[in-house]
Amino acid sequence: MPDATIYIVDQVVVRPGRASEFIDAYLTEYAPSARERGLTLDRVLVSPPAWIDGENNTVTATWTVPGPGDWWAAAVRGRHDPEPSRWWKSMESLIVERTRSMAASADDVETLNDV
C-alpha cells in the first residue's frame, strides 16, 4: 500500500491590508525552499474570501508529503536549515499569529499508527 498522505497546515492571521503582500512573499520566497525540503503545495486559502479594509485575513497554506518517512525527512531538513526561521522572522510585521499543524485523512490514521 502506498504511504498515507500527511498534510502540513500553516495557518497565518495577517494584519489588515497585508494579506496579499504576505501571500506573494510566501509563494515567491518561502515556497521554493519548502519544495526543496520535499513538501508539495496543495493549496492556499484566504478567509474571509475578500480584502476588507481594517480586517485581518487568515491565510491557510496546505502542504503534503507522501507518508511519515518523507515527513520526517522534511522536518529534519527544516531543523538544519536556518532560512525558514529567518524568513518567518522577516514576516513578523505582517503577522498577528501563526500556527502549524499536521493532519491525515481519518482513513489513514490507523496505517500511520503502525510504525
Side-chain angles (χ1 to χ4, degrees):
M1 178 175 137
D3 283 329
T5 298
I6 296 177
Y7 298 87
I8 296 104
V9 182
D10 287 331
Q11 190 166 53
V12 184
V13 179
V14 183
R15 296 190 188 288
R18 307 295 297 272
S20 181
E21 177 184 356
F22 173 80
I23 293 166
D24 287 345
Y26 190 88
L27 294 175
T28 61
E29 299 167 14
Y30 180 82
S33 68
R35 286 184 185 99
E36 288 174 12
R37 291 190 307 276
L39 306 180
T40 299
L41 185 60
D42 179 57
R43 69 190 70 213
V44 176
L45 302 172
V46 178
S47 174
W51 310 129
I52 301 171
D53 289 339
E55 296 290 326
N56 297 333
N57 286 95
T58 299
V59 176
T60 304
T62 305
W63 297 87
T64 63
V65 291
D70 287 350
W71 178 78
W72 278 109
V76 168
R77 282 187 212 110
R79 286 186 187 106
H80 293 286
D81 180 356
E83 283 308 308
S85 293
R86 283 189 203 133
W87 186 84
W88 284 108
K89 182 87 172 148
S90 77
M91 291 290 107
E92 285 181 350
S93 66
L94 280 65
I95 296 172
V96 175
E97 66 183 72
R98 72 179 176 98
T99 60
R100 173 169 273 190
S101 61
M102 297 353 140
S105 167
D107 293 337
D108 292 335
V109 172
E110 197 65 41
T111 300
L112 291 167
N113 279 317
D114 186 22
V115 292

